[in-house]
Amino acid sequence: MIEILDNLDILSRPHLDLTTVEMGGIALGTPATSVPRRSIIQAQSSVVARYGGGTNIDSEYYDAEGRRLTLDEVIGHAAQSDGFLYCADKLTYKVRAGTVVGFAIYGPHLSHFAHLTSYEELLAAFGTPERAHEDKAYGDLMGYDNYYWGAHKHVKWDAWDHRVSLINMGSFEGNTGP
């Protein structure tokens, strides 16, 4: 297995066999309970009916009856069913039926691509995507969402900060084509 975090250049490949890679020691198809619990700082699961939280605000989770849930309860449910496990090191694992089906990388890991300072440089480094979508808000270009179906990958370019802001791989919407 190739550890993505030790070989970030692999992320620029337009074709990538996801059965050959792992992120943080976790491979796609691995039980989500394998994600180290001590690294998980937030979770998303269908057991959560209402969520409150934000920057410098502790997360609060509530079920459909209004009962407050602990983070451990939400993590346990997400790891056994469907959801997301968000780690302190800016890594996220997507879970379906208790199995890791996707990875997302953001934050400091992507400083590896800081030398890319324009969208054109991103295209030169990552190749032409099978699908590109302009992200606009109120007429302003916010960025581009590039989908590389051969790698089951989404690369988000932030047009305001001129940087790669997200890379996800695996079973995320848009990653495998129309």
Side-chain angles (χ1 to χ4, degrees), residues 99-144:
T99 301
V100 174
V101 297
F103 305 136
I105 302 171
Y106 46 99
H109 297 289
L110 296 179
S111 65
H112 179 79
F113 299 105
H115 64 282
L116 305 175
T117 59
S118 71
Y119 182 63
E120 292 73 24
E121 289 178 4
L122 172 112
L123 293 176
F126 282 81
T128 304
E130 279 75 24
R131 178 174 167 244
H133 171 73
E134 287 186 350
D135 180 16
K136 290 187 174 183
Y138 305 105
D140 292 327
L141 178 65
M142 306 302 288
Y144 294 93

Side-chain angles (χ1 to χ4, degrees), residues 22 33-34 60 71-72 82 90 99 107 164:
E22 60 187 10
T33 54
S34 300
E60 294 181 355
L71 177 58
D72 278 343
D82 298 341
K90 304 296 186 187
T99 301
V164 175

Side-chain angles (χ1 to χ4, degrees), residues 44-114:
Q44 181 180 337
S45 169
S46 62
V47 74
V48 177
R50 188 169 54 93
Y51 166 80
T55 305
N56 298 322
I57 299 171
D58 288 337
S59 297
E60 294 181 355
Y61 304 94
Y62 298 89
D63 67 12
E65 287 78 42
R67 182 178 71 86
R68 187 166 181 179
L69 302 167
T70 67
L71 177 58
D72 278 343
E73 287 176 299
V74 178
I75 290 170
H77 189 270
Q80 295 293 327
S81 60
D82 298 341
F84 293 88
L85 302 173
Y86 302 96
C87 298
D89 50 0
K90 304 296 186 187
L91 303 174
T92 297
Y93 297 91
K94 183 175 181 181
V95 180
R96 186 177 301 129
T99 301
V100 174
V101 297
F103 305 136
I105 302 171
Y106 46 99
H109 297 289
L110 296 179
S111 65
H112 179 79
F113 299 105

